Each structure stands twice: as C-alpha cells, then as structure tokens.
Amino acid sequence: MRIASPPGSVTAPPWQREQRRKVFGCSSFSFHRTDSQLSVLVHSTHQPTAQAIVGGVVSEAAGASSSRSSKKMPTTAGGGTPFFPRRWILFAYLVLGVNAAVYLRPAARPLLNLVDQNGLENEIEQVRVSLAAANHMRVSWISSSSNSPSSVQYGTSPGKYESSATGSKLNYGFLLYKSGTIHGAVLGPLENNTVYYYKCGGMGKEFSFKTPPANLPVTFAVVGDIGQTGWTVTTLEHVQKSTYDVLLFAGDLSYADYYQPRWDSFGRLVEPSASSRPWMVTEGNHEIERIPLISSFRAYNTRWRMPYEESGSDSNLYYSFDVAGAHVLMLGSYADFGQRSPQYKWLQADLARIDRKRTPWLIAVLHAPWYNSNEAHRNEGDDMMKAIESLLQAAGTDLLFAGHVHAYERWDRMFQGKKDDCGIVHITIGDGGNREGLATKFLDPKPENSLFREASFGHGQFKLVNSTHAHWSWHRNDDDQAKIADELWIQSLSSTGCSLASKKMR
C-alpha cells in the first residue's frame, strides 16, 4: 500500500484521512487561544484535507485551506484570528455535533530555584551522555573534587562492570566563578540497541543508558529553549516518558546568561533524561556569554562537548553525526556561515560525503529559524538562509528544526521563500519552557505556507519508520498531559528523486 502522497508532499496515510472523514463529517473547526481570548473558526468543507486535520486534532491549517471561501469575520483588537463568544463553542457542540476539544492554555509557571550558592551538591553530578564516533558514547559529568578519576566502569548487567574507559578532565573560570572538575570519557565499541549500566569516577550511584539502534526505525525527541521553569519540568517529564532513542536540542539550554551557577543547576535538572539517552545539542543566543578576554562560548563548549572532531569540524558549534538511517547536521546560527567561513566549507565537505543508501534521511538543526510568521525574532535567520539554503536543498534535506521563537510552527516544504515540492519542511520548536514566556503574537493574516502555529509549550517526536516514510508529532504540554496537537507523515526526498544524492543512487 502506498502511504504517502506524490513526491515532496507532507500528508497523512490514506487510512487516516478516511478515519477523519468519519469523525469530522462535513464541518471543520480551527481553534486558537491567546492569553486574552478564545477563538473558533467554523468552516464548511466536504472533505477536510489530511494536512488540515491530523490525528483527530483540528490544526490551524484547516483555517488556511478553507478561509478563502468563508465570509470575512471580525478580528480581535490586536488583529488576531477571528473570534466568537464562548456561547458559539457550545453552539458548535450541540448543533453541529463536531467531535473537537477546545484548548485552554494553562497559566505561566514560576522559575525553579535550583541554584546552590555554595557550589556542587554532590560528589558526582550532572551526568549526561552523547554520541561520539560510530558505536561509541561519550559520558560527561562534574565532580566536586579535582582528584576524582576520569574513569567510567560499565557493563550490560546492573552492578556488573566488565569494561572501563578513562578520559580527561578540565575546569574553567568565569570572573569570580570557578567550575567543578568537568570529566569526559568515551565508551566503546558498544552494541546497538542495548542498555548499559555505568558508574562515573568509581563512586556514587549507578546510571544506565540505551544505545540507538543500528537500523531503522529510530525515534528522535526534539526540543528547544528549555531553560529552568515549572514548564521545563513538565517538558522533561514528557520526554522521559516517551520511547525516544536520541534527543535533538535546537539551542538555548540553561539560560544562565553569564550567571554560571545556573549551568550547574541546569545540569542537575536534566540529568535523569540526559544520562539515559544521548543528548545532541547546538548553541543558541543564550549560550553567548561575551566579555573581554573570555571566549563567547566558554561555558557551553567546556560543559557540552559534542562530536565535532569526529565529523571533521573545527568547532564545537557545528558538527554532524549518523544514527540508524539518518545523517544529522547540527549547525551554528552564531558561528560565521559565509561562503568563505570554516562552517560553510565544512558543510560543503560533509554533504559531499553523505551516502544516502546508508542514511536516506537528512535532518538539520539550528537555532534561529529561517521561516517564521511570529512577530518575535523576525528575519534573524535570513542571512544564514541566504548563505546555505541552496546547499541544504540540493543535498535533499528533509527537515530543518529551529528554536529561538518561543512557540511552535510548521511550514510546508520551502525553498527561496516559496513552496517547493523538493524543498525543506521547516519546524520551529522553541517552546521547551524558558523563563521569557511564550511568543504569542503571530502575523495576521497567516502566510499560506505556514501550516500550523501555536504559542504553547511542548516537545516533538520524529520517528523514521523506514527509508521512505517518517512520522512527526508535536506534543503540547496541556495541564501536565502531553497532548498531540499536530502530526503528519512525510516522505523522504531521497526516495522521490528530488535530491542530487538520490539521483546518484540511481
């Protein structure tokens, strides 16, 4: 059975479309919630599109697909989407009989007070794992003692460590702050899809992590702009409950913003998740801590070392890695990206080495979005897009994940500002729970190719099912329950003949 629509499309399988027709009948709704009002659009359609209605949830795309034929409705005082009084929602339920749920955004949550003013709380803490070379994992942690050994004992049974690895240690200073001793050791070679138990520095509690599978399927958790708030805790809990293999982080980690103890509190906060699955991160603007005589990314580069050398990069700010059937580009929005820059030259060489028979999926992650209909951070990614969008499009990049804007938004396949069946699906997911709050103001009217947008906290999951099809879902933090608010199926460009790499395969 053919699952996807024609090449380059981003629709759902036909059996889901049929199921949705049965559920929604001949009417569709698009609900939009802001901090000050609740709104609902009623559309008369005979067969809602799969892009408009996804997984039993009506997306904002429904409004885009049918608004041309509807009458002009009054707008909010702020120029937002049309709205009705709440009694119209009751009318929709009772008269039209539509099976839809209205989302009422919960209130903001306070900052967490996790900072220990007296230094580290434990002898061994802030334990996390990341991918290294093929079949290897890097374990990182911080100790309160500089005499603690940089060694990891590990094995496949609890309490039984058949192997060990020894790494290196360092620390850094930032004005009056001095970090604990930061350790890193590379474990391997490791078996794929296997749980390993390990202990750092020969002391403390036992941790465990699971290595990714060698082949598809594989699942990525995707987050951005997490910070350290009550909503951060909710996001991390939802991520930890999911069955993901690797986490992709689109920048803005701790929101330390020069106050270094917050890097420590962030490490403690994410340890339960980051110690059990590989976390792969790229930098955001809040990782920039620029003062005279101190490098801009000192804390980030020292604490969160990624496999940049293994991918031929000269900087921890941009790198790539392979996992199962995917090649993932972690790009630097705040490193030079001009055509003569090291990042541009590295990217050219990296893309030329991709073997799409082995990695049919190509994913990019960066911080500042290239396509953005939110009023926040408008056009901040334009220069980078002009510099390297053609490189990524020619290589057949399937999706690009970004953060920075504190909301969720999904665009159609795009290239050079227009919809393109061989373009890149752009998803902004800077809604992890940061202290600055949500970016609630979107442009009105909504751009035609912005298929879904909502200012809510949450995370994403991207499951590569096989070499040709994958499933994306965005999970909204809804009163402590992770609700799927947007989802779609996508076909890999390597299977459609769009990319240069797929043409070489033929």
Side-chain angles (χ1 to χ4, degrees), residues 12 24 35 52 56 117 252 255 288 308 314 380 384 504:
F24 288 93
D35 290 337
Q117 301 288 350
D252 279 3
Y255 283 74
I288 302 173
Y308 70 94
D314 65 341
E380 291 185 16
M384 189 178 192
K504 290 178 182 179

Side-chain angles (χ1 to χ4, degrees), residues 467-489:
S467 63
T468 61
H469 293 90
H471 182 258
W472 164 256
S473 57
W474 175 58
H475 300 245
R476 178 203 291 138
N477 291 356
D478 187 351
D479 293 327
D480 294 323
Q481 300 297 318
K483 303 290 187 181
I484 296 180
D486 182 38
E487 62 180 337
L488 77 154
W489 285 88

Side-chain angles (χ1 to χ4, degrees), residues 153-199:
Q153 294 76 44
Y154 62 99
T156 55
S157 299
K160 297 181 180 179
Y161 311 125
E162 302 91 357
S163 304
S164 65
T166 300
S168 59
K169 55 186 173 182
L170 73 165
N171 56 35
Y172 75 96
F174 194 96
L175 298 179
L176 300 179
Y177 172 88
K178 184 177 180 181
S179 74
T181 302
I182 302 171
H183 303 260
V186 176
L187 283 54
L190 305 173
E191 296 295 325
N192 295 299
N193 207 29
T194 301
V195 175
Y196 283 87
Y197 300 85
Y198 65 102
K199 185 173 289 189

Side-chain angles (χ1 to χ4, degrees), residues 126-141 183-188 190 198 208-212 244-249 271 273-282 300-308 310 316 319-323 330:
Q126 303 177 51
V127 179
R128 58 185 175 273
V129 297
S130 57
L131 299 176
N135 302 114
H136 288 70
M137 297 271 275
R138 172 181 290 276
V139 178
S140 303
W141 71 97
H183 303 260
V186 176
L187 283 54
L190 305 173
Y198 65 102
S208 66
F209 65 76
K210 178 181 172 294
T211 57
Y244 74 99
D245 299 297
V246 177
L247 183 137
L248 303 178
F249 202 138
E271 182 185 82
S273 179
S275 63
S276 62
R277 295 290 189 278
W279 276 38
M280 310 304 291
V281 306
T282 191
Y300 172 77
N301 284 336
T302 307
R303 292 172 179 270
W304 289 84
R305 177 166 177 167
M306 293 290 112
Y308 70 94
E310 292 89 333
N316 194 54
Y319 62 95
S320 67
F321 62 91
D322 290 343
V323 59
M330 306 295 288

